[in-house]
Amino acid sequence: MKIEGFELRRVAMPLVSPFRTSFGTQTARDILLVKAVADAASGWGECVTLPDPIYSPEYTEGAVDVMKRFLIPALAAAGVSDAPSVAEALKKFKSHRMAKGALEMAVLDAELRAEGRSFARELGSVHDRVPCGVSVGIMDSIPQLLDAVGGYLDAGYVRIKLKIEPGWDIEPVRAVRERFGDDVLLQVDANTAYTLGDARHLAKLDAFDLLLIEQPLEEEDLIGHADLAKVVKTPICLDETITSAQTAAAAIRLGATQVINIKPGRVGGYLEARRIHDLAAAHGVPVWCGGMVESGIGRAANVALASLPGFTLPGDVSASDRFYATDVTPPFVMHDGHLGVPQGPGLGVEPIPEILDEITTSVEWVPAA
Ligand code: OSB
Ligand code: MG
């Protein structure tokens, strides 16, 4: 396969409702889609950066810049023609994993489409559908939260994740448990909003039988998470901290994480995501697939990944309409709390041309030959 270049396309997608986390509120997604154009086929990638470096050090304008200035020229210079050589060719550039992951995803999609194989088959899928969890933002009031959670449970979501921060933690969890009962699979995500000094406070969550508490402390604080795990009985699950199979191995060894949230963009792509899945499985550590409010492009690949055998907990793998009234691909629709795993070549889905045109805010062609 000869790669001719990459199309970098920005699309504007309004959210159905504001999504508030401890690091900020999103009302729309400005998504960078990457199309790898090769002689054999074209493929799509989605860069999961946010506009500001507030979840990860990466941000969308930075991703565009590093792709154009360094990553795509390096792929061209190395004559990269398949997905496994992408990470190798880009290794000399530090970090920028979301940017690298988006390019690798586009090349992988092109390669698989040319070969007529699906992401699911390539990654090692063992299920034809995956259970859906939903990430519920911080709200202005508890009644508002209970309405939102009730709506998601009625829609069929099998697991609820509540975003928390200091001042919005014990009471919202208590209220959801009281209203919806002990059988609901429930977990929380702090996005680094606490310090080790909050250990006693966080231990109050132990009363609510949560599946896990996600990323309570700063991303670099492995030791803090290991210490916290000795005070809090609820399993700790790292998100932001896990940037590679290497950091995952360190976190497991130190006892800093009992469960892992795997987000392909954060770790540099689907191939590294699979390595983390394999490593975790070898250590008996459950994993689940995280989300970055993806369009149908990223969602398709996440659903495929979530169907690997080690993904034993429901992920932040929701239907398109959780975030978007109009998705760029045919929408992912939930049936009985599950999404079907796409089985067609590559991602198994493609942008709908008219919708893509309508939501595109800019397109740039970067030759790789
Ligand atoms: O921490 O998991 C997170 C969204 C953007 C950035 C970080 C996170 C999230 C989510 C939403 O929780 C996940 C989704 O796409 O459903
Ligand atoms: Mg998280």
Side-chain angles (χ1 to χ4, degrees):
M1 186 171 85
K2 180 153 175 45
I3 300 170
E4 287 154 19
F6 293 87
E7 184 188 274
L8 307 185
R9 180 186 290 261
R10 301 279 282 274
V11 297
M13 297 179 59
L15 301 187
V16 292
S17 56
F19 182 56
R20 176 170 160 207
T21 63
S22 63
F23 60 76
T25 304
Q26 293 175 259
T27 55
R29 241 356 220 121
D30 166 11
I31 298 180
L32 169 60
L33 295 178
V34 176
K35 182 159 112 178
V37 177
D39 51 358
S42 292
W44 290 94
E46 178 164 341
C47 183
V48 299
T49 47
L50 301 181
D52 304 332
I54 48 176
Y55 161 79
S56 125
E58 294 188 74
Y59 61 102
T60 306
E61 287 295 341
V64 170
D65 187 71
V66 78
M67 284 180 190
K68 282 162 43 180
R69 196 184 297 269
F70 299 107
L71 307 183
I72 296 174
L75 294 178
V80 164
S81 60
D82 59 20
S85 7
V86 171
E88 201 50 39
L90 302 181
K91 212 169 155 182
K92 62 174 178 269
F93 302 115
K94 304 294 185 188
S95 194
H96 291 286
R97 291 180 173 91
M98 293 176 179
K100 291 174 178 175
L103 293 171
E104 182 193 80
M105 178 182 171
V107 173
L108 181 56
D109 186 36
E111 191 182 340
L112 294 176
R113 284 184 202 267
E115 292 170 359
R117 285 188 301 130
S118 67
F119 258 67
R121 181 63 205 264
E122 170 70 12
L123 294 174
S125 164
V126 296
H127 305 291
D128 57 13
R129 58 177 209 156
V130 300
C132 299
V134 59
S135 177
V136 184
I138 295 167
M139 308 261 164
D140 293 334
S141 71
I142 294 212
Q144 203 187 343
L145 175 71
L146 295 176
D147 275 358
V149 170
Y152 293 129
L153 291 172
D154 288 346
Y157 283 98
V158 305
R159 187 228 67 191
I160 301 289
K161 159 169 140 182
L162 303 182
K163 291 290 194 178
I164 59 167
E165 66 182 4
W168 182 265
D169 43 29
I170 313 298
E171 291 317 315
V173 169
R174 184 198 311 281
V176 168
R177 268 285 177 248
E178 278 175 4
R179 170 73 70 89
F180 301 107
D182 294 337
D183 291 342
V184 173
L185 300 181
L186 188 63
Q187 62 193 53
V188 294
D189 185 2
N191 289 109
T192 76
Y194 296 88
T195 68
L196 195 53
D198 298 313
R200 298 258 151 241
H201 177 71
L202 290 170
K204 293 182 194 155
L205 290 170
D206 289 341
F208 303 105
D209 191 27
L210 302 179
L211 288 169
L212 55 92
I213 171 166
E214 186 178 344
Q215 197 73 41
L217 313 180
E218 280 181 1
E219 52 268 50
E220 293 184 3
D221 198 1
L222 280 168
I223 303 292
H225 283 103
D227 289 349
L228 183 65
K230 293 182 191 127
V231 181
V232 174
K233 288 202 191 68
T234 307
I236 307 287
C237 170
L238 293 180
D239 170 357
E240 283 89 331
T241 300
I242 308 297
T243 53
S244 62
Q246 194 173 49
T247 52
I252 293 169
R253 167 88 78 93
L254 287 170
T257 202
Q258 284 76 57
V259 179
I260 294 177
N261 167 338
I262 300 185
K263 280 185 193 167
R266 196 191 62 227
V267 305
Y270 287 84
L271 302 181
E272 185 74 357
R274 179 175 54 189
R275 278 177 218 118
I276 297 174
H277 160 272
D278 294 351
L279 168 89
H283 285 87
V285 170
V287 302
W288 54 280
C289 183
M292 289 295 288
V293 192
E294 286 90 347
S295 76
I297 295 294
R299 201 162 295 277
N302 285 352
V303 172
L305 180 70
S307 70
L308 269 60
F311 285 78
T312 52
L313 290 168
D316 284 344
V317 180
S318 44
S320 293
D321 68 4
R322 154 69 184 93
F323 291 114
Y324 303 112
T326 307
D327 206 336
V328 62
T329 59
F332 281 83
V333 177
M334 194 163 59
H335 296 287
D336 193 21
H338 290 69
L339 291 182
V341 178
Q343 303 293 344
L347 294 170
V349 298
E350 270 183 290
I352 298 165
E354 303 76 54
I355 294 179
L356 186 63
D357 276 354
E358 208 169 296
I359 63 178
T360 294
T361 54
S362 70
V363 191
E364 197 171 349
W365 172 248
V366 187

